[in-house]
Amino acid sequence: MAMSRYHNQAVETLARPDLDALIDERVRYTVRYADEHSPFYRRWFERHNVLPEAIREHEDLRDLPIISGATIRRYQPPQAGAFCFKSVPWEAVFTINETSGTSGVPKSFFLTWEDWERYAEKYSRLFVSQGFGPGDRVVVCTSYGMNVGANTMTLAARDLGVTIIPEGKCTFPVRVMAHYRPTAVIGSVFKLLRLARRMEAEGVAPRDAGVKRLVVGGESFAPESRRYLEEVWGCPVYNTYGSTEGTMCGECVCQAGLHVPEDLVHFDLYDPGMERFVGDGETGRLVYTTLLPPGGKAGTLLINYDTEDTCSIVSRERCRCGRTHMRIDYPRREAETFRIGEVPLTRVDLEAAVFQPANMVSLNGEYEAFIYGGDETGETILRVSMECVDPARVDPAAVEETFLAALFRSAPGLSTAYEDGTLRILCNITPPGGLELHRAPGRPKRIVDRR
């Protein structure tokens, strides 16, 4: 099988006018399908006096109310007597899947085989755009549980001639790397860094392991941590964004923003008041709509769903790779944004400061931060702990100086608060394994607000 630059060239290279026309056709069909098959949307349209036939193009979606994860939970057990978002009869449901539940009761999703094929189509396009092809061997270090990510990647490999090594976790034996010589590994930044450290401890150099690319998903990360990961492994790192809701998109080999499969998902970006669309290049709240092709079915579909993530549109112009679908910056979770006074601080701001090249000579990248209220009214304390490789060979003062300079570049408003004394920043260097997050079960939080 010859390697192709595209998985579905006709769709991936559609001219913008034709792509917009396709999107509008699918918006009309999806809204009509929701009215006919979804108990939630049928009542929702009636309650809000929405005429499905009046929704003719994607701009009309702004006239519809916005729903959230709380809405889904409110219309499923235990809060409701039935799963009101289920849009097919039980005999058409192929799998039942749930979100991770990190922000509350897991949301339930009912997927038909058609849903799985569309999910796999999205990842197939991503893999091909990142240079995957026949003969590639891919270690998947994401969960094979009720979430859809790992299973979708595995299904996507079916038609690409790609072999999946379904580890599920990144704690697999190093012999897997030596025996199977995988050409790619999929996992989070920190899983991949820890894997590299385990390999080095067993005498296997990551740069010599034959890995041609790393794919990172499940969390936003700073450009600095990407560059460090690429240096450790000696290969490109590609960014992806996906969810059980179906928001799969990702970078191509140009690494110039995440391509959105606009024929299958529709994104709108709203201002903080959720009242208007923001312009390209502006940061806004990402609102998601499922797009079904005419005649298609969906076990669960979402219209104007608030992902609670923020991002911006990088470009709607043709990418250097030839794809025409719009590209977005990596979405950041609102839950990972904290305010110190009036200044927003994100996990990515902290990560960028930790992964400064001058610091990574002595740090291993692991960090955690806690925010406390100070003794004085209006005072805030930010305590940041960073792990070092060897406590005997680190200069804590130099690390702190580099960290603070980078943090104030990422979040300049913090500098004023630091200088006037309303913000105290305590930097702590710990030996390997010295962070609290290593003792916490489940997915660790890098920033914890204890005010």
Side-chain angles (χ1 to χ4, degrees):
M1 181 169 63
M3 185 171 177
S4 171
R5 292 176 58 215
Y6 307 98
H7 179 66
N8 188 342
Q9 183 171 354
V11 171
E12 293 177 69
T13 61
L14 270 177
R16 174 52 60 179
D18 296 328
L19 182 55
D20 284 340
L22 178 63
I23 292 168
D24 289 342
E25 176 189 52
R26 295 190 173 189
V27 165
R28 290 192 291 272
Y29 176 78
T30 300
V31 172
R32 188 166 69 249
Y33 182 92
D35 182 52
E36 294 173 356
H37 298 278
S38 169
F40 169 79
Y41 281 109
R42 189 179 306 116
R43 294 197 294 267
W44 191 62
F45 290 155
E46 291 175 356
R47 186 179 308 120
H48 293 282
N49 297 315
V50 173
L51 296 176
E53 59 270 20
I55 308 302
R56 305 295 302 165
E57 53 190 24
H58 63 272
E59 286 88 352
D60 294 334
L61 291 173
R62 78 180 75 191
D63 297 327
L64 300 183
I66 294 173
I67 68 168
S68 66
T71 311
I72 297 177
R73 295 185 185 98
R74 192 159 58 245
Y75 287 91
Q76 69 176 36
Q79 295 193 51
F83 293 97
C84 299
F85 278 87
K86 185 169 75 70
S87 304
V88 292
W90 277 112
E91 58 267 25
V93 174
F94 181 62
T95 62
I96 299 172
N97 296 83
E98 292 182 344
T99 56
S100 62
T102 54
S103 57
V105 175
K107 300 184 290 288
S108 300
F109 287 83
F110 303 87
L111 302 185
T112 65
W113 178 244
E114 282 186 38
D115 288 316
W116 276 105
E117 289 185 314
R118 284 190 292 269
Y119 278 29
E121 167 75 12
K122 298 171 194 176
Y123 264 117
S124 294
R125 294 182 195 178
L126 291 187
F127 285 156
V128 173
S129 79
Q130 293 162 352
F132 284 86
D136 270 311
R137 297 171 300 285
V138 185
V139 178
V140 176
C141 296
T142 59
S143 171
Y144 276 89
M146 292 286 273
N147 215 327
V148 302
N151 289 308
T152 305
M153 297 174 198
T154 302
L155 186 58
R158 171 192 57 180
D159 298 325
L160 303 180
V162 169
T163 299
I164 294 293
I165 304 171
E167 289 291 348
K169 296 182 179 180
C170 229
T171 53
F172 59 85
V174 169
R175 64 167 177 77
V176 169
M177 303 297 292
H179 292 178
Y180 302 122
R181 297 288 292 180
T183 57
V185 187
I186 299 174
S188 69
V189 168
F190 292 96
K191 288 178 180 178
L192 296 170
L193 285 176
R194 291 168 195 158
L195 173 60
R197 289 197 291 270
R198 288 197 296 114
M199 292 170 64
E200 290 168 345
E202 296 190 29
V204 180
R207 297 177 69 92
D208 299 331
V211 175
K212 298 178 180 178
R213 63 191 65 83
L214 301 175
V215 179
V216 172
E219 61 182 16
S220 55
F221 56 85
E224 290 81 358
S225 55
R226 182 215 292 264
R227 286 195 292 269
Y228 181 70
L229 193 59
E230 289 181 333
E231 179 184 329
V232 169
W233 284 89
C235 66
V237 174
Y238 297 118
N239 205 340
T240 62
Y241 170 66
S243 66
T244 306
E245 288 86 348
T247 57
M248 292 80 169
C249 50
E251 289 179 325
C252 66
V253 292
C254 298
Q255 296 179 316
L258 282 68
H259 287 274
V260 178
E262 291 188 76
D263 57 311
L264 297 172
V265 303
H266 180 69
F267 288 165
D268 283 316
L269 298 183
Y270 280 76
D271 75 304
M274 307 298 282
E275 295 177 352
R276 64 172 182 88
F277 294 166
V278 302
D280 291 3
E282 293 182 64
T283 298
R285 190 83 163 239
L286 197 158
V287 173
Y288 163 80
T289 295
T290 308
L291 290 184
L292 296 178
K297 297 179 180 179
T300 300
L301 59 81
L302 298 172
I303 298 173
N304 276 14
Y305 174 75
D306 178 10
T307 63
E308 300 182 19
D309 295 336
T310 60
C311 70
S312 60
I313 294 174
V314 172
S315 177
R316 297 181 193 267
E317 300 298 320
R318 185 183 296 270
C319 180
R320 295 195 309 276
C321 72
R323 291 168 177 81
T324 54
H325 293 219
M326 75 176 185
R327 285 165 282 144
I328 61 172
D329 195 10
Y330 194 91
R332 299 186 181 188
R333 299 193 182 280
E334 281 284 296
E336 293 181 337
T337 300
F338 304 86
R339 292 200 168 270
I340 296 179
E342 296 300 318
V343 181
L345 172 67
T346 71
R347 181 179 58 77
V348 175
D349 293 328
L350 276 181
E351 189 168 302
V354 171
F355 278 85
Q356 291 299 301
N359 278 349
M360 295 311 295
V361 175
S362 53
L363 301 182
N364 65 16
E366 298 282 1
Y367 72 94
E368 65 187 6
F370 298 90
I371 304 173
Y372 304 92
D375 295 332
E376 304 294 331
T377 303
E379 183 184 46
T380 301
I381 299 173
L382 173 65
R383 178 168 66 85
V384 182
S385 296
M386 296 167 270
E387 280 190 1
C388 64
V389 177
D390 181 358
R393 301 179 63 183
V394 62
D395 181 349
V399 170
E400 179 175 347
E401 182 179 356
T402 300
F403 171 84
L404 290 177
L407 180 63
F408 294 151
R409 286 196 299 271
S410 293
L414 295 180
S415 178
T416 302
Y418 182 72
E419 290 172 358
D420 67 22
T422 58
L423 170 64
R424 293 170 56 201
I425 301 178
L426 309 177
C427 290
N428 180 39
I429 308 300
T430 73
L435 300 178
E436 289 185 25
L437 63 81
H438 293 311
R439 300 186 292 275
R443 182 187 296 178
K445 291 185 177 181
R446 294 284 168 178
I447 307 182
V448 178
D449 193 340
R450 290 181 171 171
R451 286 177 289 187

